[in-house]
Amino acid sequence: MKKICSMWTDEQEALGIIEWEDEVFGTCFRPIKLSEHDHGGFSLIGKRWYTTYNGAREFFRHKTNNLRINGRMRKKELGIMNYVVKKRNRDTYNITDKKQGTDSK
């Protein structure tokens, strides 16, 4: 289970960046695509990770990338729901409370 430190989303809440802690990278920033149908769900864009927020933000600004941020990135309030649980057989994640996410597979 990974802990989300921060999350930023664009104005349409379609794309964003998360800062999370894990056992491999420590703290890193990852570009994400938010799920339209699943509240709190998102998927990572590729296997990309960055050491800074600005590095991840540059991913969306690059000329060869067809994913574009709409408007300004805004920090989301996560409250107590700040743990990431991977869904079964997908590269999709959900943000959940630590108590609920301890039995994930």
Side-chain angles (χ1 to χ4, degrees):
M1 188 177 333
K2 297 166 177 53
K3 181 179 181 194
I4 295 181
C5 301
S6 302
M7 176 185 268
W8 296 265
T9 61
D10 65 355
E11 290 179 359
Q12 293 182 342
E13 295 193 359
L15 298 171
I17 296 171
I18 59 168
E19 175 187 15
W20 74 11
E21 295 176 0
D22 70 7
E23 59 280 353
V24 177
F25 299 113
T27 300
C28 64
F29 296 83
R30 308 213 47 184
I32 59 170
K33 182 175 183 179
L34 283 86
S35 174
E36 299 173 8
H37 308 291
D38 189 12
H39 177 70
F42 64 89
S43 56
L44 301 175
I45 299 174
K47 304 267 184 210
R48 303 183 188 304
W49 63 274
Y50 300 88
T51 56
T52 64
Y53 169 84
N54 286 333
R57 184 69 176 92
E58 281 299 316
F59 166 77
F60 293 110
R61 292 182 178 140
H62 200 272
K63 295 176 190 176
T64 59
N65 185 3
N66 60 354
L67 298 170
R68 295 282 178 238
I69 296 291
N70 294 307
R72 296 182 56 89
M73 296 285 271
R74 305 229 187 262
K75 196 169 191 176
K76 274 188 90 114
E77 183 61 44
L78 298 174
I80 62 167
M81 298 178 67
N82 63 348
Y83 283 83
V84 177
V85 177
K86 187 170 185 175
K87 284 187 171 182
R88 230 178 277 179
N89 301 325
R90 293 187 191 166
D91 288 332
T92 303
Y93 296 80
N94 273 352
I95 302 170
T96 186
D97 187 355
K98 183 178 180 180
K99 293 175 191 171
Q100 296 171 348
T102 56
D103 62 345
S104 68
K105 295 179 180 158

